[in-house]
Each structure stands twice: as C-alpha cells, then as structure tokens.
Amino acid sequence: MQRFLTFFLLASGSWAFEKGTAEEDFVRIWPENPVVEFGGSLVLNCSASCENIGLETAFTKVPIGEGPSWRAFNLSDVNHWAASPLCYADCGSEQKKSPKANIIIYKPPDHIKLDTVPKMEVGKPYNLTCWVSAVAPIQNLTVTLLKGAEQLLVKTFEHHTEPEAGPVAVSHRIIAQQSDHNKTVTCQTSLDLRPRGPLLKNISHSISLESFDFAGAPQLHADLSLEAGTKMKVTCDAPQVSPAEEAMFHLWFARRPVTFNTSVMGDEASAQAVVTSSSVGEHELICTVSLGPVTKNAKKTVNVFALPKPVLQIDNSEAVINQTVNITCGADGNASPGFKMQIRDAANILASSNQDQRFLQHAVITQEEDNGREFICQVTLIVDGHTEERRISQNLTVFYGPRTDDSNCPHTLTWKEGSLTSFTCSALGNPKPTVQCWKDGRPYNIGEPQLVQREHDGIYHCNATNQYGSDIRNVTVHVESSKADISGIIIGILVPAVIVICLGAVAFYINRRKCGIYHFWKHQRPPSQATGISEELACLNSNPSV
Ligand SMILES: *[C@@H]1O[C@H](CO)[C@@H](O)[C@H](O)[C@H]1NC(C)=O
Ligand SMILES: *[C@@H]1O[C@H](CO)[C@@H](O)[C@H](O)[C@H]1NC(C)=O
Ligand SMILES: *[C@@H]1O[C@H](CO)[C@@H](O)[C@H](O)[C@H]1NC(C)=O
Ligand SMILES: *[C@@H]1O[C@H](CO)[C@@H](O)[C@H](O)[C@H]1NC(C)=O
Ligand SMILES: *[C@@H]1O[C@H](CO)[C@@H](O)[C@H](O)[C@H]1NC(C)=O
Ligand SMILES: *[C@@H]1O[C@H](CO)[C@@H](O)[C@H](O)[C@H]1NC(C)=O
Ligand SMILES: *[C@@H]1O[C@H](CO)[C@@H](O)[C@H](O)[C@H]1NC(C)=O
Ligand SMILES: *[C@@H]1O[C@H](CO)[C@@H](O)[C@H](O)[C@H]1NC(C)=O
Ligand SMILES: *[C@@H]1O[C@H](CO)[C@@H](O)[C@H](O)[C@H]1NC(C)=O
C-alpha cells in the first residue's frame, strides 16, 4: 500500500514537471499540410521557443526571413514524393523537433489520351479507354468518360495510397448503337485538392465514334447475257444500311473497274452503272459494298455473246419471170460459237445452215407471185435459254407480161339499156399493163361511166400491154333493151292469142256451114234423134283437124 502510494506520487510529480516544460518550449512548423505543385516551391515557417531554429528537409532550402522566434525557408524544386520536412530547435541541452509537415505534391496530368475506337458495327462491343499519364495524387483524381453530354463512366481512386504520380487507365465497354454515329467521346480529369488546394480540370481531345449497320446483303440487278459492244444498265443495291450515304461501292466487270453513280433512298444505297464489253465469253460482274468495317459482295456471271451481222444478197433483186435468182445469206463479224443462219420469207423457212456456218444459198425460179416477196436473212443464237436474233430483209421484184383472166376482164358482159355502167378490163402484170380496147375499129374509153344504149352491144377487142408483152381479149357485151321486153311479151303472148282467136273463128264458121248443110239435108228426110246426135259429135270431132 505504501509502495503503491509512493509510486503514484512520483508518477504524478514527473507528469507535472513534463507538463511545465512543454508549455515553455515548443517547435512548430507552418503550414502543417501544405499543397504544392510538383517541382514548385514552398515557404515553410518554423517557429519555436528555443534557439537555433532549423528546417530538416531533402529539398533545396533558402532562408527567407527570421524573427526572434521564427525562421522562414523557401523550398524550391519540390520533386520528392515522400519527403516530410520538420523544424527543430535547441531547447536547453536537447533538440526538439516539430511534427513532420504533410506536404501534398500534386501534378496535373501530362497527357490525357483516348484510345482510338475502330469503326464500329452496330450490336458489337467496343472498349473506350482513357489513358491519363503522370498525375498525382491519384486518390484525388476523378476520371469521367463522356459520350456527347452523357456521362458513361465516373471513376475515382479513393483507395489509392501512393503519393507518386502515376499513369491511370479507365476503360468502359459499350455496345455500338446506330445513334452512336458521329457522337464525340471525351475523357475529363479532375484533380480536386480543395479546400487546401486548387481544383484542376483537364480534358482530352475528343474522338468521334463511327457506328455502322449493314444488315442486308447487296443485290445486283443485271441481265445474264449481253451482246458484245452493246450497253447494259446495272444496279447494285445495298438495303438496310446505316448511314446509307457512307456506303462505298466498287464495281468491276470483266476484271475492269466500272464507273458508276450512287444514290440513297431511305436506308438503301445503290449504285448505277452502264457496262459494256467487246470480248466474247463469260465475264464476272462484281459489286462490293463497304460500310465502315463491313464489306460485302454480290456477283453475277454475264454471258457476253456476239451475233454476227447478217448480209443478204439477192443476185437480181429485179428479175424477169422464169429467171433463177440466187439468194445468199452471209454472216459478218465477230460471232459466238453455235450461231445458225436461215433464209426465209414471211411464211416459211427456205434454207437453214449448220452451226457456225457463215454462208447459205437458196435459188428461186421467179414466178408472178414472187413479185414483192420479202426474203429474210436471219442469224440466231441461243443464249441462256432464249433466242437472240438479227435479221435483214429485201424484197424481190419480178417483171412479167400482161395476163387477163375472167376475174379482171370477163369474156361476156350483160348490160341493161338505160343503166349507168362502165366497161372494165384490167390485167395482171409488172409493170402494171395499160389496157386499150376497140369496138368497131374505134378506140373505146374504158372505165368511164356511161348510160347504156343499144349501140353498146357488140364485141370489144382489148389489148393489155407492158414492155414484157401483150395479152389480147375479146369481150362480148349484150345490151338488154327494156322496150324490147314489152314487144316481146306482145309478140310472144298477144300475137299467138290473136291468131288462135282468128283461127278459132274461121274454124267455127266452116264447121257451122257443114252442119247447116246437114241440118238442111236432115229436114228433107225423116228425123232420127239418135243419129242426129252422133252426126253432131262427128261434126264437133272433126273441128280441130280443120
Ligand atoms: C512566421 O511565423 C511567425 C509567428 O508564428 C510570424 O510572426 C511570422 O511573420 C512568420 N513569418 C513568415 C515569413 O510568414
Ligand atoms: C491540364 O491543365 C493544366 C492547367 O489547368 C495545364 O497546365 C496542363 O498542361 C493540362 N494538361 C493537359 C494534359 O492538358
Ligand atoms: C475490352 O477490354 C476488356 C478488358 O479490359 C477485354 O477483355 C476485351 O477483350 C476488350 N474488348 C475489346 C472489344 O477490345
Ligand atoms: C457525320 O459528320 C460528318 C462530318 O462532320 C458529316 O458530313 C455527316 O453528314 C455526319 N453524318 C451523320 C449521319 O450525321
Ligand atoms: C451518272 O449521272 C449523270 C447525270 O445524271 C449521267 O449523265 C451519267 O450518264 C450517269 N453515269 C452512269 C454511269 O450512270
Ligand atoms: C415459164 O416457164 C414455164 C415452164 O418452163 C412455161 O410454161 C411458161 O410459159 C414460162 N413463162 C414465161 C412467161 O415465159
Ligand atoms: C446461182 O448459184 C449457182 C450455184 O452457186 C451458180 O451456178 C449460178 O451461176 C448462180 N446464178 C447466178 C445468176 O448468179
Ligand atoms: C417488202 O415487202 C413487205 C411485205 O411483203 C413490206 O411490208 C415491206 O415494206 C417491203 N419492203 C420494202 C423495202 O419495200
Ligand atoms: C397490142 O398492143 C401492142 C402494143 O401497142 C402491139 O404491139 C400489138 O400488136 C397489139 N396487138 C394487137 C392484136 O393489136
């Protein structure tokens, strides 16, 4: 108990002594928590109740002022991250030290750099990475990634403990969207040292996102066959593309680039071109569409064919009748294998060639009907299942002498007197024959309407002529008179009737006279009824024979 008490008194006495010296002697450093930029300078003020005030530091120090109880130093080139200066002074026999100053050395970033983002495909993931180099203190740093005005990521580093400047990288994954196209991405840093220090903000250069959507496959519209030397329109469409105006086209035909025009309709881009080739064979037509990172192709094989030019020759396109006329059909120029030739007229095939034969002949012995006949020389080629053809035609002229027949110049004509009629007689022939007619040695105007008279009755001599001959024809015209008809009736009916009446009258008279004699004779003799009747019948019976 005694010992415990003694210990307590001693302990409290020594505490009281120590407290008294502490109140007397002090060494302080000011400011205790300075903030200074890396490489910059700083004034530290040591104050003490003792003598020989000094500053212990690794930095270059220059005293810049002193008073009875203080001394100020300028520290320059503050570039050691872990340095912690302290003040000291000689207090009696011992040296006292101040607490260490807690210097915060800051450094704005040397560089802020955003990694370039490749051309993006809608729906795919991409990393946005921001590199911040040589920044300190990292635990005061905030890195923000912005897409336009939208904050994608805000990253802080509270748990970072090292004071040294170091690089920082932040990364954010995005899924590319159509609306991302042309949006800018920036990386902002903020070094917040408030309230003891500044707030430092920096921003990276912006990068522009490129986001492409190329869902559809390009389509090539072109015929599968093309005649060599001719032109063909070709279009290549890229549907469902975004942004459609950035679709890049390339067209090749027969391994050569083709010039083209492009157009955009909604979300479809298309290229239009006109292609041609002079080399026969199968050629590839290729359309390549590139949109951002995606490239797609469309191909077609075009059969370039050559159809030779038909050449028609008719030996004598103007021939006389019964002449042999040779018709030749030739093929001129470049030709695809497998072509055929034909000689034909409007209705029929007259001659056909074998494949790839360039000459064909057909002979015609000219007939009247061949005048004006059209002959065709035709070249055909089957390309991809359909027939390509080329033809040339020429008409044959056949000259021949006049020919009259019953249809154009009838042998007999019957006209009615008083009617209006014209005499017609024409003839076949090439050139068209002229027809002249004579009646009774006098030329007669044919084809003119005239009032039919009795004098028109008779025989007409007609002569159809052209330079290839003549044809004679006699035409008999009967004129029927309307008066002649009535007298005919009179003559035919009335006259015989009159004659019959007259003869009847005469016969009756003769008969009467005969019977009268009888009656007279009968009066002389006794009458007999029965014989009387029989006599009268006999009389009547004998009457027609008179
Ligand atoms: C240093 O501190 C003392 C008192 O603490 C003050 O009087 C003096 O002006 C200071 N010196 C400088 C240079 O700040
Ligand atoms: C950051 O900003 C500070 C001043 O605020 C400037 O001195 C420094 O050069 C900037 N750094 C970059 C990388 O822009
Ligand atoms: C994005 O970054 C992560 C990790 O940082 C990596 O695994 C991934 O492959 C990156 N993605 C792309 C598309 O670069
Ligand atoms: C994207 O930006 C470029 C250049 O600034 C401009 O020419 C283009 O029209 C823009 N495209 C879209 C889809 O906004
Ligand atoms: C492109 O358009 C111009 C003007 O419309 C036209 O003259 C030209 O022929 C076109 N070219 C092609 C390859 O279609
Ligand atoms: C044409 O020849 C046929 C038979 O050889 C002959 O009957 C006819 O009279 C000739 N025609 C002419 C106009 O020469
Ligand atoms: C028609 O062709 C045959 C055979 O090729 C020939 O003998 C004849 O002389 C030709 N006729 C004419 C009029 O050219
Ligand atoms: C040849 O005859 C046809 C009818 O057979 C006719 O249509 C065509 O016009 C004629 N051609 C010439 C050049 O006369
Ligand atoms: C028919 O006319 C031609 C030409 O005028 C003449 O040559 C020829 O003799 C004439 N024939 C008759 C039978 O009159």
Side-chain angles (χ1 to χ4, degrees), residues 46-203:
C46 292
S47 50
S49 57
C50 312
E51 298 179 317
N52 296 330
I53 298 168
L55 177 69
E56 186 183 300
T57 178
F59 301 125
T60 313
K61 61 180 182 199
V62 177
I64 54 158
E66 58 185 317
S69 61
W70 61 274
R71 219 170 183 184
F73 300 90
N74 185 41
L75 272 60
S76 58
D77 200 12
V78 179
N79 55 9
H80 299 298
W81 297 105
S84 319
L86 54 80
C87 295
Y88 58 85
D90 294 333
C91 298
S93 56
E94 62 172 337
Q95 191 181 52
K96 277 188 77 81
K97 291 184 176 178
S98 71
K100 289 177 179 172
N102 175 27
I103 302 184
I104 295 175
I105 301 172
Y106 70 89
K107 190 180 167 308
D110 280 348
H111 302 287
I112 308 172
K113 199 175 145 286
L114 269 170
D115 271 357
T116 55
V117 178
K119 292 172 189 238
M120 304 190 294
E121 236 184 295
V122 167
K124 292 201 173 169
Y126 296 88
N127 286 340
L128 297 178
T129 305
C130 178
W131 298 93
V132 182
S133 67
V135 62
I138 290 170
Q139 69 185 99
N140 291 54
L141 180 72
T142 304
V143 179
T144 310
L145 274 176
L146 293 157
K147 181 172 83 184
E150 178 196 351
Q151 286 188 348
L152 295 174
L153 176 74
V154 180
K155 181 118 188 213
T156 55
F157 306 86
E158 301 94 344
H159 305 300
H160 195 93
T161 48
E162 276 80 51
E164 289 93 344
V168 167
V170 301
S171 194
H172 179 69
R173 199 171 87 124
I174 59 164
I175 304 291
Q177 288 159 18
Q178 231 183 58
S179 61
D180 287 342
H181 194 72
N182 267 10
K183 290 252 172 82
T184 54
V185 171
T186 50
C187 180
Q188 284 183 356
T189 60
S190 140
L191 195 57
D192 191 358
L193 301 158
R194 291 175 301 178
R196 291 151 51 200
L199 169 67
L200 298 169
K201 288 188 169 186
N202 283 86
I203 189 155

